[in-house]
Amino acid sequence: MYGIVDCDNCYVSCERVFRPDLNGKPVVVLSNNDGCVVARSNEAKKLGIKAGMPYYQLAQQLPNEKIAVFSSNYELYGELTARVLEIIRQEAPAYFRYSIDECFVYFNSFDMHDGSTGLKGWGEQLYRRIRKSVGIPVSIGIAPTKTLAKTASHFAKKYPGYRHCCLIDTEEKRRKALKLYSIGEVWGIGRRYSARLEALGVKTAYDFAQKSESWVNATFNNIVIHRTWQELNGEDCVPNEELAKKKSICTSRSFNGMVTDIDTLKTHVANYAARCAEKLRQQGTVASVVAVFLYTNTFRQDLPQYWNFREQRLPMATDSTIDIVKAASQALQDIYIQGYHYKKAGVILMGIGPNSPVQLDLFDFNAEHFQKMKRLDAIIDRINKVNGTETIVLGSQQYSQKDGKGKADVFANAIKHDFRSKNPTTRWTDIIHLK
DNA sequence: TCTGGGGTCCTAGGACCC
DNA sequence: TCTGGGGTCCTAGGACCC
């Protein structure tokens, strides 16, 4: 069984911890530069304030409403959600943080010794503890699959009768819940897919779950949708990803106002690059590509528009701030054109892989010995020693090539396969680069 | 006048290799 | 002159999530 613990209107709830007088009143939290609404209290939702709505429109449309408005304060939200997470860690057998405000919990058979009903009590108790010690309300859904758990948490949020925890543990409850759940609300079914499904007469999650497997495959030929269909039917198939490291890291901002000169842009981009490098080091990885993008204000159709994106391959995968900033600066220089009014820029790190001593050892070793193909055995020994393996996989190729070039290929393949099996996120190009 | 900031996965098609 | 079959990697684009 899976549980999902979800902070209600997370950012608003965080602000209310220090402003209890705002309970029961409409509250919104804004994005960077106070641009858009990113969080709404239930009262604000009832006023018709949409997620992502530009703040100036809100002010125009509801001039007479008293709405508490906050600029976002990510340090505060990070701090409070960390406290929520700490309580989950104490109470749950195993967990995985899915986002800043959501956390999956895994239950094994031991935790179910007094039946699934025990899980309902567990959830209610967890709610009370978090509410009391952190001050943030959460909703908890528990079910045999993650998608059904998300469904359950929706009902926990919607109906006070569930006392913040909804359990889907029987076929009857599953059917009942899915019939009341519209297709567009299902986890994994977004705007596009729900529009297509509705056009085909599929209005609820139940309608979708009832379709045959062949219908799903013939209609979408899409593995993600197929998985969602399976999950709604109680088959657990969304993988658990507790140890996931980021495969790309991005820092970007819209400017407050517009920027025309490259020096100001360079300052911004250098800051974003430095921030990216920080995130990279925090997760203990290195990047091999730095990319920069640049936009004019896309909302200002009266002004000339320009956008561009440039990748800069690093000579060697690194987590060094100075190298990453330099590369980003170069990329920016390549795409900057004088005369435009720029509104947004960002830095993306790609080709991210583990910062393992294996890579460095291979690099050093190759530099010295790679030309001497007679040393193949020694090289293999070395790889085995470093990796703690008995043998290395040589791929499908045989030692049939006569000349040194052939052996070099075999060797390169051996390294590639070995690397790949140990470091699934490493890209072929990174490995070739090491050679 | 004012319009956010992160991520993930999958697929198709082209370039290239043997 | 005839022109197969198997495979990898990369990119762009499209969908989704919070």
Side-chain angles (χ1 to χ4, degrees):
Chain A
M1 296 286 276
Y2 292 98
I4 178 93
V5 184
D6 187 341
C7 300
D8 297 343
N9 310 326
C10 185
Y11 299 167
V12 165
S13 298
C14 289
E15 297 292 350
R16 278 177 170 170
V17 168
F18 299 95
R19 291 289 305 274
D21 57 301
L22 294 176
N23 286 326
K25 293 179 183 159
V27 180
V28 299
V29 176
L30 304 178
S31 65
N32 254 22
N33 282 335
D34 294 343
C36 296
V37 173
V38 291
R40 304 157 292 157
S41 69
N42 291 342
E43 299 77 16
K45 289 176 188 172
K46 274 188 200 131
L47 289 175
I49 299 169
K50 302 287 182 212
M53 188 186 219
Y55 176 48
Y56 75 93
Q57 283 181 10
L58 172 69
Q60 284 170 1
Q61 286 179 20
L62 298 167
N64 301 319
E65 294 292 343
K66 280 186 102 178
I67 303 167
V69 179
F70 290 88
S71 298
S72 43
N73 180 350
Y74 289 99
E75 271 178 45
L76 173 70
Y77 312 148
E79 168 72 24
L80 290 179
T81 53
R83 288 191 216 169
V84 171
L85 197 70
E86 171 56 22
I87 292 174
I88 294 172
R89 191 189 66 75
Q90 290 170 16
E91 300 283 341
Y95 68 97
F96 163 60
R97 187 174 201 180
Y98 177 69
S99 72
I100 189 167
D101 69 331
E102 279 175 82
C103 184
F104 280 109
V105 175
Y106 310 136
F107 302 103
N108 53 37
S109 49
F110 279 103
D111 310 300
M112 296 172 64
H113 59 281
D114 41 23
S116 319
T117 46
L119 293 178
K120 171 91 166 112
W122 176 89
E124 290 180 18
Q125 210 267 323
L126 180 68
Y127 164 82
R128 287 193 298 268
R129 194 176 159 197
I130 293 172
R131 184 70 164 138
K132 192 174 166 206
S133 63
V134 188
I136 289 184
V138 298
S139 298
I140 299 156
I142 301 173
T145 71
K146 297 193 190 68
T147 306
L148 287 172
K150 292 278 274 185
T151 306
S153 80
H154 165 86
F155 289 101
K157 219 172 275 249
K158 192 165 174 185
Y159 300 108
Y162 286 113
R163 286 181 298 187
H164 310 280
C165 178
C166 172
L167 179 65
I168 297 178
D169 60 342
T170 65
E171 179 58 15
E172 196 194 335
K173 288 187 199 169
R174 185 185 73 89
R175 285 170 185 265
K176 191 180 162 199
L178 294 190
K179 283 178 185 172
L180 291 169
Y181 204 38
S182 60
I183 187 68
E185 290 178 298
V186 174
W187 191 44
I189 306 290
R191 276 208 332 269
R192 302 289 181 137
Y193 290 147
S194 65
R196 274 175 70 183
L197 283 163
E198 277 166 23
L200 293 166
V202 176
K203 309 287 185 199
T204 66
Y206 184 75
D207 297 339
F208 182 53
Q210 285 300 101
K211 291 290 184 183
S212 71
E213 183 166 18
S214 55
W215 183 91
V216 174
N217 286 336
T219 310
F220 288 97
N221 187 28
N222 177 315
I223 194 169
V224 179
I225 297 218
H226 184 262
R227 218 154 55 185
T228 300
W229 175 83
Q230 282 176 296
E231 287 243 324
L232 288 174
N233 282 305
E235 197 178 328
D236 174 24
C237 53
V238 170
N240 299 342
E241 292 173 7
E242 30 263 282
L243 292 173
K245 295 194 170 175
K246 302 276 185 256
K247 294 170 180 172
S248 73
I249 289 174
C250 174
T251 303
S252 74
R253 294 283 179 277
S254 295
F255 310 131
N256 190 4
M258 297 205 257
V259 174
T260 52
D261 64 301
I262 189 158
D263 289 336
T264 309
L265 284 176
K266 268 193 175 164
T267 309
H268 286 304
V269 165
N271 281 327
Y272 306 158
R275 177 69 190 122
C276 280
E278 226 174 85
K279 294 180 189 172
L280 193 63
R281 288 192 296 271
Q282 268 169 18
Q283 62 169 19
T285 52
V286 293
S288 57
V289 175
V290 180
V292 171
F293 62 83
L294 196 56
Y295 282 92
T296 50
N297 189 341
T298 52
F299 291 100
R300 290 290 300 273
Q301 290 301 330
D302 54 318
L303 293 175
Q305 295 290 311
Y306 171 74
W307 76 270
N308 213 334
F309 171 88
R310 179 64 51 95
E311 288 180 20
Q312 185 77 28
R313 185 162 283 276
L314 291 156
M316 219 179 133
T318 182
D319 61 3
S320 138
T321 298
I322 184 91
D323 292 343
I324 289 169
V325 168
K326 267 188 198 163
S329 186
Q330 182 61 54
L332 171 67
Q333 195 117 37
D334 290 347
I335 56 175
Y336 171 79
I337 296 178
Q338 203 175 4
Y340 288 105
H341 297 268
Y342 294 100
K343 182 63 183 172
K344 182 174 179 176
V347 173
I348 308 174
L349 301 183
M350 299 183 294
I352 292 176
N355 182 11
S356 68
V358 176
Q359 288 195 29
L360 294 174
D361 276 9
L362 282 171
F363 185 87
D364 293 344
F365 194 86
N366 290 339
E368 196 178 338
H369 294 293
F370 189 73
Q371 302 303 321
K372 299 178 180 175
M373 292 310 156
K374 286 177 193 162
R375 299 273 185 128
L376 186 56
D377 287 347
I379 290 169
I380 290 173
D381 276 355
R382 176 76 175 138
I383 290 174
N384 285 336
K385 206 173 276 177
V386 168
N387 291 335
T389 50
E390 289 294 318
T391 54
I392 61 172
V393 181
L394 291 178
S396 56
Q397 301 202 38
Q398 303 297 313
Y399 285 88
S400 56
Q401 288 100 328
K402 286 171 224 145
D403 57 6
K405 169 75 170 64
K407 261 197 174 172
D409 286 345
V410 171
F411 176 61
N413 264 334
I415 293 184
K416 288 196 281 188
H417 281 279
D418 198 51
F419 251 97
R420 187 70 152 201
S421 60
K422 291 192 184 347
N423 308 301
T425 58
T426 309
R427 304 191 319 176
W428 291 112
T429 46
D430 303 331
I431 300 164
I432 291 164
H433 179 70
L434 287 176
K435 183 180 81 172

